[in-house]
Amino acid sequence: MSCFSAHRLGSVGKLLDRITVKIDSSVVEPGAADGEIIVYGPSVMLGYHNKPEETKAVMTEDGGFRTGDRGRFDEDGFLYITGRIKEQFKLENGKYVFPASLEEDIKLNPVVLNAMIYGEGKPYNICLAYPDYKLLKKYAESKGLPTGVDEMAANAEIIKYVGDEIARSLKGKYGGYEIPKKVVLLAEDFSIENGMMTHTLKLKRKIVAEKFMDDIAKMFL
């Protein structure tokens, strides 16, 4: 838990008294520094009422609860949640990618307001990015480029600029195979209204991929 006496940017804090957490790396790629967060303690449920199969799926034999969240501890005991286990995917080369953590770091760059990583079964990752068009307009004006949203989204020089910014945001934090090699600039943001986000503001990845499949397919030609 984060508090004034123990907090660190990006982490959820340190563990509460009587709470234990184990990181199960066996459910992710070999050698990973993170894994599924398993919680133990008096506040952890015993199971789902009259649902033995569902209970078996989330409870370990020693009473731990499999959260479905992927995370890691730093050297000082701060816990970081790096995303959801079920969202991880494999590239064509067998390397695992966890998109949520990449997307969060991409969105730390002021040029990008929203992003989705795509690459399951593909030779590399690409990024569907909704940029800050107000910032991009200033860049476009400085370069004598078109400033309409649709025009900027399709302009090769602006696409390269955003792609370079994304790569810069991720360099040194992720392996080269994780950093997207190509970028699709979207003229429309993900939202609840257009059906691309849930009411809890989570990406509907399948729906987004289906909506932009023609653009995605071009990135792998």
Side-chain angles (χ1 to χ4, degrees):
M1 152 172 206
S2 289
C3 58
F4 288 113
S5 61
H7 65 278
R8 186 159 293 174
L9 186 65
S11 83
V12 295
K14 293 187 174 183
L15 300 182
L16 295 169
D17 290 341
R18 302 176 68 193
I19 298 295
T20 301
V21 164
K22 292 182 181 178
I23 304 296
D24 181 8
S25 296
S26 69
V27 298
V28 296
E29 66 270 27
D34 58 356
E36 185 172 16
I37 297 171
I38 302 176
V39 181
Y40 300 80
S43 58
V44 173
M45 70 175 185
L46 298 177
Y48 296 112
H49 183 60
N50 290 333
K51 294 183 177 180
E53 292 303 315
E54 288 88 342
T55 296
K56 186 177 180 181
V58 299
M59 302 300 296
T60 63
E61 291 184 358
D62 59 351
F65 175 69
R66 291 189 171 276
T67 64
D69 289 321
R70 183 170 175 172
R72 63 178 177 82
F73 283 105
D74 69 10
E75 63 278 3
D76 297 316
F78 286 89
L79 178 64
Y80 294 77
I81 295 177
T82 53
R84 295 287 293 171
I85 290 293
K86 67 180 181 180
E87 292 179 346
Q88 69 184 10
F89 62 80
K90 269 186 183 182
L91 291 170
E92 186 180 73
N93 61 10
K95 295 282 190 180
Y96 282 89
V97 173
F98 195 77
S101 55
L102 286 159
E103 291 156 1
E104 289 304 313
D105 279 334
I106 288 170
K107 289 186 290 184
L108 291 177
N109 189 306
V111 171
V112 182
L113 297 179
N114 226 330
M116 189 183 96
I117 295 293
Y118 180 93
E120 184 169 6
K122 301 297 184 181
Y124 49 81
N125 282 328
I126 67 167
C127 180
L128 304 176
Y130 179 74
D132 185 332
Y133 281 105
K134 291 181 180 179
L135 288 181
L136 278 192
K137 184 177 180 180
K138 294 178 181 179
Y139 174 82
E141 288 173 341
S142 72
K143 298 292 183 179
L145 300 172
T147 57
V149 168
D150 290 335
E151 294 171 313
M152 287 190 285
N155 185 274
E157 187 172 340
I158 290 177
I159 292 170
K160 182 181 184 304
Y161 169 68
V162 176
D164 289 345
E165 284 295 304
I166 288 172
R168 186 175 63 81
S169 300
L170 303 178
K171 190 176 180 180
K173 299 179 183 178
Y174 297 90
Y177 68 92
E178 295 173 287
I179 297 174
K181 296 193 181 304
K182 296 183 180 180
V183 173
V184 176
L185 293 189
L186 306 179
E188 178 184 17
D189 197 2
F190 311 129
S191 70
I192 297 170
E193 290 72 24
N194 62 24
M196 290 190 278
M197 297 194 85
T198 69
H199 287 283
T200 56
L201 301 181
K202 291 183 175 63
L203 271 174
K204 294 183 179 180
R205 296 180 183 276
K206 184 177 179 181
I207 290 175
V208 173
E210 288 174 351
K211 181 176 177 66
F212 298 106
M213 187 49 67
D214 289 345
D215 297 302
I216 290 170
K218 292 174 186 176
M219 296 296 102
F220 296 103
L221 293 178

mmCIF file of all heavy atoms in Angstrom, residues 73-108:
data_model
loop_
_atom_site.group_PDB
_atom_site.id
_atom_site.type_symbol
_atom_site.label_atom_id
_atom_site.label_comp_id
_atom_site.label_asym_id
_atom_site.label_seq_id
_atom_site.Cartn_x
_atom_site.Cartn_y
_atom_site.Cartn_z
ATOM 1 N N PHE A 73 8.550 -7.149 -7.758
ATOM 2 C CA PHE A 73 9.037 -6.345 -6.640
ATOM 3 C C PHE A 73 10.348 -5.689 -7.028
ATOM 4 O O PHE A 73 11.147 -6.262 -7.776
ATOM 5 C CB PHE A 73 9.284 -7.225 -5.408
ATOM 6 C CG PHE A 73 8.045 -7.616 -4.668
ATOM 7 C CD1 PHE A 73 7.551 -8.911 -4.773
ATOM 8 C CD2 PHE A 73 7.379 -6.708 -3.860
ATOM 9 C CE1 PHE A 73 6.408 -9.286 -4.087
ATOM 10 C CE2 PHE A 73 6.236 -7.070 -3.172
ATOM 11 C CZ PHE A 73 5.749 -8.365 -3.280
ATOM 12 N N ASP A 74 10.588 -4.476 -6.508
ATOM 13 C CA ASP A 74 11.926 -3.918 -6.663
ATOM 14 C C ASP A 74 12.763 -4.311 -5.452
ATOM 15 O O ASP A 74 12.310 -5.029 -4.558
ATOM 16 C CB ASP A 74 11.884 -2.404 -6.894
ATOM 17 C CG ASP A 74 11.425 -1.602 -5.681
ATOM 18 O OD1 ASP A 74 11.310 -2.182 -4.576
ATOM 19 O OD2 ASP A 74 11.189 -0.383 -5.840
ATOM 20 N N GLU A 75 13.994 -3.830 -5.417
ATOM 21 C CA GLU A 75 14.926 -4.248 -4.363
ATOM 22 C C GLU A 75 14.515 -3.752 -2.981
ATOM 23 O O GLU A 75 14.996 -4.261 -1.958
ATOM 24 C CB GLU A 75 16.347 -3.759 -4.690
ATOM 25 C CG GLU A 75 16.530 -2.253 -4.749
ATOM 26 C CD GLU A 75 16.106 -1.639 -6.075
ATOM 27 O OE1 GLU A 75 15.606 -2.389 -6.937
ATOM 28 O OE2 GLU A 75 16.280 -0.410 -6.246
ATOM 29 N N ASP A 76 13.595 -2.776 -2.922
ATOM 30 C CA ASP A 76 13.167 -2.233 -1.635
ATOM 31 C C ASP A 76 11.780 -2.736 -1.204
ATOM 32 O O ASP A 76 11.223 -2.236 -0.230
ATOM 33 C CB ASP A 76 13.154 -0.702 -1.691
ATOM 34 C CG ASP A 76 14.542 -0.123 -1.936
ATOM 35 O OD1 ASP A 76 15.490 -0.617 -1.294
ATOM 36 O OD2 ASP A 76 14.675 0.789 -2.763
ATOM 37 N N GLY A 77 11.260 -3.696 -1.943
ATOM 38 C CA GLY A 77 9.981 -4.272 -1.545
ATOM 39 C C GLY A 77 8.748 -3.562 -2.074
ATOM 40 O O GLY A 77 7.636 -3.843 -1.617
ATOM 41 N N PHE A 78 8.912 -2.657 -3.020
ATOM 42 C CA PHE A 78 7.758 -2.012 -3.633
ATOM 43 C C PHE A 78 7.220 -2.908 -4.745
ATOM 44 O O PHE A 78 7.990 -3.446 -5.548
ATOM 45 C CB PHE A 78 8.136 -0.646 -4.206
ATOM 46 C CG PHE A 78 8.336 0.413 -3.157
ATOM 47 C CD1 PHE A 78 9.587 0.609 -2.571
ATOM 48 C CD2 PHE A 78 7.281 1.212 -2.749
ATOM 49 C CE1 PHE A 78 9.771 1.584 -1.604
ATOM 50 C CE2 PHE A 78 7.457 2.198 -1.777
ATOM 51 C CZ PHE A 78 8.700 2.379 -1.203
ATOM 52 N N LEU A 79 5.913 -3.056 -4.791
ATOM 53 C CA LEU A 79 5.270 -3.925 -5.764
ATOM 54 C C LEU A 79 4.805 -3.112 -6.979
ATOM 55 O O LEU A 79 4.144 -2.078 -6.833
ATOM 56 C CB LEU A 79 4.061 -4.635 -5.130
ATOM 57 C CG LEU A 79 3.248 -5.562 -6.030
ATOM 58 C CD1 LEU A 79 4.094 -6.737 -6.500
ATOM 59 C CD2 LEU A 79 2.002 -6.059 -5.292
ATOM 60 N N TYR A 80 5.133 -3.606 -8.156
ATOM 61 C CA TYR A 80 4.719 -2.981 -9.412
ATOM 62 C C TYR A 80 3.808 -3.936 -10.162
ATOM 63 O O TYR A 80 4.139 -5.110 -10.334
ATOM 64 C CB TYR A 80 5.935 -2.656 -10.290
ATOM 65 C CG TYR A 80 6.842 -1.605 -9.723
ATOM 66 C CD1 TYR A 80 7.729 -1.901 -8.685
ATOM 67 C CD2 TYR A 80 6.819 -0.310 -10.220
ATOM 68 C CE1 TYR A 80 8.560 -0.926 -8.152
ATOM 69 C CE2 TYR A 80 7.662 0.671 -9.700
ATOM 70 C CZ TYR A 80 8.521 0.354 -8.668
ATOM 71 O OH TYR A 80 9.348 1.320 -8.146
ATOM 72 N N ILE A 81 2.670 -3.447 -10.604
ATOM 73 C CA ILE A 81 1.778 -4.246 -11.440
ATOM 74 C C ILE A 81 2.067 -3.901 -12.894
ATOM 75 O O ILE A 81 1.979 -2.736 -13.294
ATOM 76 C CB ILE A 81 0.305 -3.978 -11.101
ATOM 77 C CG1 ILE A 81 0.014 -4.464 -9.672
ATOM 78 C CG2 ILE A 81 -0.620 -4.694 -12.101
ATOM 79 C CD1 ILE A 81 -1.392 -4.176 -9.201
ATOM 80 N N THR A 82 2.418 -4.906 -13.668
ATOM 81 C CA THR A 82 2.822 -4.663 -15.055
ATOM 82 C C THR A 82 1.743 -5.053 -16.053
ATOM 83 O O THR A 82 1.953 -4.938 -17.263
ATOM 84 C CB THR A 82 4.127 -5.421 -15.375
ATOM 85 O OG1 THR A 82 3.978 -6.803 -15.039
ATOM 86 C CG2 THR A 82 5.289 -4.853 -14.587
ATOM 87 N N GLY A 83 0.573 -5.470 -15.576
ATOM 88 C CA GLY A 83 -0.532 -5.751 -16.493
ATOM 89 C C GLY A 83 -1.293 -7.010 -16.128
ATOM 90 O O GLY A 83 -1.233 -7.486 -14.993
ATOM 91 N N ARG A 84 -2.012 -7.557 -17.097
ATOM 92 C CA ARG A 84 -2.828 -8.751 -16.907
ATOM 93 C C ARG A 84 -2.203 -9.929 -17.642
ATOM 94 O O ARG A 84 -1.782 -9.809 -18.787
ATOM 95 C CB ARG A 84 -4.249 -8.529 -17.423
ATOM 96 C CG ARG A 84 -5.038 -7.491 -16.671
ATOM 97 C CD ARG A 84 -5.465 -7.975 -15.299
ATOM 98 N NE ARG A 84 -6.433 -9.074 -15.378
ATOM 99 C CZ ARG A 84 -6.817 -9.776 -14.306
ATOM 100 N NH1 ARG A 84 -6.311 -9.528 -13.113
ATOM 101 N NH2 ARG A 84 -7.704 -10.740 -14.440
ATOM 102 N N ILE A 85 -2.150 -11.078 -16.957
ATOM 103 C CA ILE A 85 -1.566 -12.286 -17.532
ATOM 104 C C ILE A 85 -2.249 -12.658 -18.844
ATOM 105 O O ILE A 85 -1.596 -12.993 -19.834
ATOM 106 C CB ILE A 85 -1.664 -13.460 -16.538
ATOM 107 C CG1 ILE A 85 -0.722 -13.228 -15.344
ATOM 108 C CG2 ILE A 85 -1.337 -14.791 -17.220
ATOM 109 C CD1 ILE A 85 0.744 -13.275 -15.667
ATOM 110 N N LYS A 86 -3.570 -12.581 -18.890
ATOM 111 C CA LYS A 86 -4.294 -13.059 -20.073
ATOM 112 C C LYS A 86 -4.057 -12.202 -21.307
ATOM 113 O O LYS A 86 -4.389 -12.611 -22.422
ATOM 114 C CB LYS A 86 -5.792 -13.132 -19.782
ATOM 115 C CG LYS A 86 -6.459 -11.794 -19.564
ATOM 116 C CD LYS A 86 -7.949 -11.969 -19.278
ATOM 117 C CE LYS A 86 -8.643 -10.625 -19.089
ATOM 118 N NZ LYS A 86 -10.083 -10.784 -18.810
ATOM 119 N N GLU A 87 -3.469 -11.019 -21.132
ATOM 120 C CA GLU A 87 -3.237 -10.143 -22.273
ATOM 121 C C GLU A 87 -1.888 -10.380 -22.948
ATOM 122 O O GLU A 87 -1.631 -9.829 -24.013
ATOM 123 C CB GLU A 87 -3.349 -8.676 -21.838
ATOM 124 C CG GLU A 87 -4.765 -8.270 -21.456
ATOM 125 C CD GLU A 87 -4.853 -6.824 -21.007
ATOM 126 O OE1 GLU A 87 -3.798 -6.220 -20.730
ATOM 127 O OE2 GLU A 87 -5.980 -6.303 -20.935
ATOM 128 N N GLN A 88 -1.021 -11.192 -22.339
ATOM 129 C CA GLN A 88 0.278 -11.424 -22.948
ATOM 130 C C GLN A 88 0.120 -12.238 -24.228
ATOM 131 O O GLN A 88 -0.838 -12.995 -24.389
ATOM 132 C CB GLN A 88 1.211 -12.135 -21.985
ATOM 133 C CG GLN A 88 0.831 -13.573 -21.681
ATOM 134 C CD GLN A 88 1.744 -14.199 -20.645
ATOM 135 O OE1 GLN A 88 2.547 -13.528 -20.019
ATOM 136 N NE2 GLN A 88 1.620 -15.499 -20.455
ATOM 137 N N PHE A 89 1.055 -12.064 -25.161
ATOM 138 C CA PHE A 89 1.011 -12.840 -26.395
ATOM 139 C C PHE A 89 2.427 -13.168 -26.844
ATOM 140 O O PHE A 89 3.400 -12.615 -26.344
ATOM 141 C CB PHE A 89 0.238 -12.095 -27.489
ATOM 142 C CG PHE A 89 0.824 -10.776 -27.902
ATOM 143 C CD1 PHE A 89 1.902 -10.696 -28.779
ATOM 144 C CD2 PHE A 89 0.281 -9.579 -27.432
ATOM 145 C CE1 PHE A 89 2.434 -9.485 -29.171
ATOM 146 C CE2 PHE A 89 0.802 -8.350 -27.824
ATOM 147 C CZ PHE A 89 1.881 -8.305 -28.696
ATOM 148 N N LYS A 90 2.494 -14.090 -27.807
ATOM 149 C CA LYS A 90 3.779 -14.500 -28.356
ATOM 150 C C LYS A 90 3.956 -13.932 -29.755
ATOM 151 O O LYS A 90 3.032 -13.937 -30.564
ATOM 152 C CB LYS A 90 3.866 -16.024 -28.464
ATOM 153 C CG LYS A 90 4.431 -16.740 -27.274
ATOM 154 C CD LYS A 90 4.585 -18.214 -27.614
ATOM 155 C CE LYS A 90 5.082 -19.002 -26.417
ATOM 156 N NZ LYS A 90 5.275 -20.430 -26.762
ATOM 157 N N LEU A 91 5.175 -13.467 -30.021
ATOM 158 C CA LEU A 91 5.539 -13.098 -31.378
ATOM 159 C C LEU A 91 5.851 -14.366 -32.180
ATOM 160 O O LEU A 91 5.935 -15.463 -31.624
ATOM 161 C CB LEU A 91 6.762 -12.178 -31.370
ATOM 162 C CG LEU A 91 6.558 -10.769 -30.810
ATOM 163 C CD1 LEU A 91 7.907 -10.069 -30.647
ATOM 164 C CD2 LEU A 91 5.638 -9.959 -31.709
ATOM 165 N N GLU A 92 6.046 -14.210 -33.455
ATOM 166 C CA GLU A 92 6.363 -15.323 -34.339
ATOM 167 C C GLU A 92 7.615 -16.065 -33.889
ATOM 168 O O GLU A 92 7.738 -17.286 -34.057
ATOM 169 C CB GLU A 92 6.548 -14.792 -35.765
ATOM 170 C CG GLU A 92 6.748 -15.836 -36.829
ATOM 171 C CD GLU A 92 6.920 -15.185 -38.198
ATOM 172 O OE1 GLU A 92 8.005 -14.604 -38.441
ATOM 173 O OE2 GLU A 92 5.975 -15.240 -38.998
ATOM 174 N N ASN A 93 8.572 -15.334 -33.291
ATOM 175 C CA ASN A 93 9.835 -15.939 -32.847
ATOM 176 C C ASN A 93 9.741 -16.612 -31.489
ATOM 177 O O ASN A 93 10.748 -17.090 -30.954
ATOM 178 C CB ASN A 93 10.947 -14.886 -32.835
ATOM 179 C CG ASN A 93 10.660 -13.731 -31.876
ATOM 180 O OD1 ASN A 93 9.725 -13.784 -31.078
ATOM 181 N ND2 ASN A 93 11.466 -12.681 -31.949
ATOM 182 N N GLY A 94 8.536 -16.655 -30.893
ATOM 183 C CA GLY A 94 8.350 -17.315 -29.602
ATOM 184 C C GLY A 94 8.564 -16.421 -28.399
ATOM 185 O O GLY A 94 8.346 -16.843 -27.264
ATOM 186 N N LYS A 95 8.970 -15.184 -28.629
ATOM 187 C CA LYS A 95 9.169 -14.245 -27.526
ATOM 188 C C LYS A 95 7.825 -13.742 -27.012
ATOM 189 O O LYS A 95 6.917 -13.454 -27.782
ATOM 190 C CB LYS A 95 10.005 -13.039 -27.992
ATOM 191 C CG LYS A 95 11.425 -13.377 -28.386
ATOM 192 C CD LYS A 95 12.315 -13.576 -27.191
ATOM 193 C CE LYS A 95 13.782 -13.668 -27.592
ATOM 194 N NZ LYS A 95 14.661 -13.873 -26.414
ATOM 195 N N TYR A 96 7.716 -13.659 -25.679
ATOM 196 C CA TYR A 96 6.493 -13.155 -25.072
ATOM 197 C C TYR A 96 6.502 -11.626 -25.021
ATOM 198 O O TYR A 96 7.542 -11.011 -24.793
ATOM 199 C CB TYR A 96 6.342 -13.684 -23.645
ATOM 200 C CG TYR A 96 5.847 -15.111 -23.561
ATOM 201 C CD1 TYR A 96 6.741 -16.173 -23.571
ATOM 202 C CD2 TYR A 96 4.487 -15.390 -23.469
ATOM 203 C CE1 TYR A 96 6.296 -17.484 -23.485
ATOM 204 C CE2 TYR A 96 4.027 -16.692 -23.374
ATOM 205 C CZ TYR A 96 4.942 -17.735 -23.387
ATOM 206 O OH TYR A 96 4.490 -19.031 -23.305
ATOM 207 N N VAL A 97 5.325 -11.052 -25.190
ATOM 208 C CA VAL A 97 5.152 -9.599 -25.090
ATOM 209 C C VAL A 97 3.991 -9.329 -24.148
ATOM 210 O O VAL A 97 2.948 -9.977 -24.231
ATOM 211 C CB VAL A 97 4.854 -8.969 -26.469
ATOM 212 C CG1 VAL A 97 4.498 -7.492 -26.322
ATOM 213 C CG2 VAL A 97 6.040 -9.145 -27.401
ATOM 214 N N PHE A 98 4.206 -8.385 -23.246
ATOM 215 C CA PHE A 98 3.124 -7.981 -22.369
ATOM 216 C C PHE A 98 2.740 -6.560 -22.753
ATOM 217 O O PHE A 98 3.411 -5.598 -22.402
ATOM 218 C CB PHE A 98 3.538 -8.062 -20.911
ATOM 219 C CG PHE A 98 2.351 -8.008 -20.010
ATOM 220 C CD1 PHE A 98 1.544 -9.107 -19.832
ATOM 221 C CD2 PHE A 98 2.002 -6.829 -19.403
ATOM 222 C CE1 PHE A 98 0.409 -9.035 -19.033
ATOM 223 C CE2 PHE A 98 0.878 -6.749 -18.607
ATOM 224 C CZ PHE A 98 0.084 -7.861 -18.420
ATOM 225 N N PRO A 99 1.657 -6.383 -23.525
ATOM 226 C CA PRO A 99 1.370 -5.087 -24.140
ATOM 227 C C PRO A 99 1.051 -3.963 -23.178
ATOM 228 O O PRO A 99 1.396 -2.804 -23.446
ATOM 229 C CB PRO A 99 0.177 -5.389 -25.049
ATOM 230 C CG PRO A 99 -0.468 -6.602 -24.462
ATOM 231 C CD PRO A 99 0.657 -7.407 -23.900
ATOM 232 N N ALA A 100 0.375 -4.265 -22.065
ATOM 233 C CA ALA A 100 -0.097 -3.189 -21.182
ATOM 234 C C ALA A 100 1.046 -2.332 -20.645
ATOM 235 O O ALA A 100 0.931 -1.104 -20.585
ATOM 236 C CB ALA A 100 -0.904 -3.772 -20.033
ATOM 237 N N SER A 101 2.142 -2.972 -20.253
ATOM 238 C CA SER A 101 3.250 -2.186 -19.701
ATOM 239 C C SER A 101 3.891 -1.319 -20.778
ATOM 240 O O SER A 101 4.272 -0.166 -20.524
ATOM 241 C CB SER A 101 4.297 -3.112 -19.066
ATOM 242 O OG SER A 101 4.741 -4.087 -19.989
ATOM 243 N N LEU A 102 4.006 -1.853 -21.998
ATOM 244 C CA LEU A 102 4.511 -1.054 -23.114
ATOM 245 C C LEU A 102 3.611 0.157 -23.363
ATOM 246 O O LEU A 102 4.086 1.285 -23.522
ATOM 247 C CB LEU A 102 4.580 -1.902 -24.379
ATOM 248 C CG LEU A 102 5.698 -2.944 -24.467
ATOM 249 C CD1 LEU A 102 5.328 -4.015 -25.497
ATOM 250 C CD2 LEU A 102 7.011 -2.294 -24.856
ATOM 251 N N GLU A 103 2.318 -0.090 -23.387
ATOM 252 C CA GLU A 103 1.357 0.984 -23.665
ATOM 253 C C GLU A 103 1.406 2.086 -22.610
ATOM 254 O O GLU A 103 1.328 3.273 -22.935
ATOM 255 C CB GLU A 103 -0.043 0.385 -23.760
ATOM 256 C CG GLU A 103 -0.236 -0.482 -24.990
ATOM 257 C CD GLU A 103 -1.328 -1.524 -24.855
ATOM 258 O OE1 GLU A 103 -1.983 -1.589 -23.783
ATOM 259 O OE2 GLU A 103 -1.532 -2.302 -25.806
ATOM 260 N N GLU A 104 1.540 1.688 -21.350
ATOM 261 C CA GLU A 104 1.603 2.693 -20.286
ATOM 262 C C GLU A 104 2.841 3.569 -20.434
ATOM 263 O O GLU A 104 2.776 4.784 -20.239
ATOM 264 C CB GLU A 104 1.580 2.011 -18.910
ATOM 265 C CG GLU A 104 0.247 1.408 -18.540
ATOM 266 C CD GLU A 104 -0.889 2.424 -18.582
ATOM 267 O OE1 GLU A 104 -0.727 3.538 -18.040
ATOM 268 O OE2 GLU A 104 -1.935 2.110 -19.180
ATOM 269 N N ASP A 105 3.967 2.957 -20.784
ATOM 270 C CA ASP A 105 5.183 3.751 -20.953
ATOM 271 C C ASP A 105 5.119 4.615 -22.206
ATOM 272 O O ASP A 105 5.652 5.731 -22.231
ATOM 273 C CB ASP A 105 6.412 2.840 -20.997
ATOM 274 C CG ASP A 105 6.870 2.434 -19.603
ATOM 275 O OD1 ASP A 105 6.604 3.180 -18.652
ATOM 276 O OD2 ASP A 105 7.489 1.367 -19.455
ATOM 277 N N ILE A 106 4.476 4.125 -23.250
ATOM 278 C CA ILE A 106 4.304 4.936 -24.455
ATOM 279 C C ILE A 106 3.490 6.187 -24.133
ATOM 280 O O ILE A 106 3.796 7.295 -24.591
ATOM 281 C CB ILE A 106 3.623 4.112 -25.563
ATOM 282 C CG1 ILE A 106 4.589 3.065 -26.122
ATOM 283 C CG2 ILE A 106 3.123 5.013 -26.696
ATOM 284 C CD1 ILE A 106 3.952 2.048 -27.045
ATOM 285 N N LYS A 107 2.440 6.023 -23.324
ATOM 286 C CA LYS A 107 1.557 7.153 -23.011
ATOM 287 C C LYS A 107 2.200 8.169 -22.075
ATOM 288 O O LYS A 107 1.655 9.262 -21.876
ATOM 289 C CB LYS A 107 0.243 6.634 -22.424
ATOM 290 C CG LYS A 107 -0.635 5.938 -23.458
ATOM 291 C CD LYS A 107 -2.000 5.557 -22.916
ATOM 292 C CE LYS A 107 -1.923 4.431 -21.914
ATOM 293 N NZ LYS A 107 -3.276 3.997 -21.471
ATOM 294 N N LEU A 108 3.367 7.837 -21.517
ATOM 295 C CA LEU A 108 4.105 8.824 -20.724
ATOM 296 C C LEU A 108 4.739 9.880 -21.616
ATOM 297 O O LEU A 108 5.100 10.951 -21.153
ATOM 298 C CB LEU A 108 5.174 8.125 -19.876
ATOM 299 C CG LEU A 108 4.665 7.245 -18.729
ATOM 300 C CD1 LEU A 108 5.836 6.558 -18.035
ATOM 301 C CD2 LEU A 108 3.862 8.057 -17.726
#
